[in-house]
Amino acid sequence: MPEPIQSPASAVAPGFADVERAAQRIAPHAARTPVLRSRSIDALAGTTLAFKCENFQRVGAFKFRGACNAVWSLSDDVAARGVVTHSSGNHGAALALAARTRGIPAHVVVPESAVKSKLAAIEAYGATLHFCAATIAAREAGAAQVQAETGAELVHPYTDARVIAGQGTAALELLHEVGDLDVLVAPVGGGGLIGGSAIAARALNPDIEIWGAEPAGADDAYQSLRRGARVTDIVPNTVCDGLRGLLGEINLALLRRYEVRVLPVEDAQTIAAMRLVFERMKIVIEPSSAIALAAVLGHPGIFRGRRVGVIFSGGNVDLDRLPWQ
């Protein structure tokens, strides 16, 4: 198998200017998602909460922001060869749709065990599916093979600087809309969203606290920050299927640079927070979103009495298999 080919965009971390350019670039294509509030959840948490609702984003998740920025960053000659990634969920669908907005080919390497509904969504947006074994190594090798055969540009789900900058536009919009916040909380998986959010938030408000919410059963970011080195031997075990990816090297560097702290959250707390949002706010979010609110509710000593921004990362759930059923 060929070695995975790294995109040049993975080599250098983005800065605030990159996030601002991303916001301009994706504006014709991405939704400006609403910021919602809930007085009853404020009362429970003892905080003033502002929820940035990326569950209303195209493809139902923040992932479209980064994928769209990456696709529209490409020169015409590179774009004509198409894009490739490996994903079994939101990023694959996001890249497929972003490629469709530019009229270029998209290839998504997917594990054979992937959920059929997710595969159908990726394919419905126009991507070509390439199947592989259900391991990260197999996904990377599969993406490298497609690159070698097609010349397509690799757009990694979370280590690509263009993707990270695009994800940061959600926090940019939130802070521009609500003004000063004391704290920003976002989920942590591979680290694209929290990394981009930290870049934007720290530039607009140097004094803001930034917290990542991470599943206790997949706490490689928390462990990496504690140990001072990237932890890669954790086998994820969590209901938050969007947060099972290992934190990237570039993403860990961003967490350190912007002094992001991470709170591990038990799945039971996440499920309770998800149900609370369904009941009180009447919106659909997935566990990988609810974890951010769960972190706030579970740590009143940190958040009580403060103005807190929470990023709901997406709302793609199987309504026939909700986690509390």
Side-chain angles (χ1 to χ4, degrees):
M1 287 285 189
E3 288 297 317
I5 303 170
Q6 294 300 314
S7 165
S10 299
V12 180
F16 184 58
D18 298 299
V19 177
E20 291 185 304
R21 282 192 289 268
Q24 295 176 345
R25 190 176 289 123
I26 72 175
H29 311 286
R32 187 179 180 92
T33 53
V35 176
L36 300 183
R37 298 180 183 271
S38 169
R39 291 180 180 178
S40 65
I41 297 179
D42 281 358
L44 284 173
T47 63
T48 302
L49 295 160
F51 299 100
K52 180 62 170 171
C53 293
E54 288 295 290
N55 48 314
F56 292 110
Q57 186 54 260
R58 297 183 75 176
V59 310
F62 76 96
K63 292 282 189 178
F64 183 70
R65 294 177 179 272
C68 187
N69 187 50
V71 164
W72 285 96
S73 296
L74 301 176
S75 63
D76 288 343
D77 59 330
V78 173
R81 298 196 297 268
V83 288
V84 60
T85 194
H86 55 82
S87 169
S88 61
N90 291 342
H91 177 69
L95 189 66
L97 178 58
R100 193 172 77 178
T101 67
R102 193 163 180 182
I104 63 174
H107 302 271
V108 183
V109 177
V110 297
E112 295 169 339
S113 59
V115 177
K116 290 184 179 179
S117 61
K118 292 186 177 182
L119 299 182
I122 295 170
E123 201 165 27
Y125 287 123
T128 300
L129 296 177
H130 304 264
F131 291 91
C132 69
T135 66
I136 293 296
R139 292 187 192 193
E140 291 179 346
Q145 185 68 47
V146 173
Q147 282 183 287
E149 294 171 355
T150 65
E153 175 81 356
L154 175 67
V155 181
H156 191 276
Y158 47 84
T159 66
D160 189 304
R162 300 162 300 193
V163 170
I164 296 168
Q167 316 304 31
T169 62
L172 186 73
E173 290 177 8
L174 171 62
L175 286 162
H176 278 320
E177 180 167 340
V178 306
D180 285 341
L181 292 171
D182 300 311
V183 189
L184 179 67
V185 185
V188 181
L193 176 61
I194 190 67
S197 298
I199 294 167
R202 191 68 75 201
L204 294 175
N205 181 356
D207 297 323
I208 196 170
E209 284 185 20
I210 306 168
W211 290 88
E214 185 175 45
D219 65 345
D220 57 295
Y222 176 75
Q223 295 293 345
S224 296
L225 289 172
R226 286 191 66 189
R227 299 183 193 182
R230 184 164 169 258
V231 173
T232 60
D233 59 354
I234 290 176
V235 178
N237 180 20
T238 175
V239 70
C240 302
D241 62 322
L243 305 181
R244 293 173 184 160
L246 289 174
L247 187 73
E249 194 70 57
I250 189 173
N251 312 94
L252 176 58
L254 287 171
L255 297 192
R256 288 172 170 160
R257 181 182 306 173
Y258 293 102
E259 299 179 329
V260 177
R261 287 174 280 182
V262 176
L263 292 169
V265 180
E266 297 293 339
D267 277 357
Q269 295 173 292
T270 294
I271 293 168
M274 179 179 170
R275 182 164 183 162
L276 179 68
V277 170
F278 272 56
E279 291 176 342
R280 302 293 178 90
M281 298 182 69
K282 317 303 180 188
I283 61 173
V284 175
I285 63 168
E286 59 192 88
S288 299
S289 291
I291 192 172
L293 174 58
V296 174
L297 294 172
H299 296 85
I302 296 173
F303 301 104
R304 187 174 297 280
R306 309 179 79 187
R307 297 165 298 177
V308 181
V310 173
I311 298 181
F312 282 159
S313 54
N316 293 318
V317 295
D318 183 347
L319 295 178
D320 292 322
R321 298 181 63 187
L322 295 171
W324 55 80
Q325 293 176 331

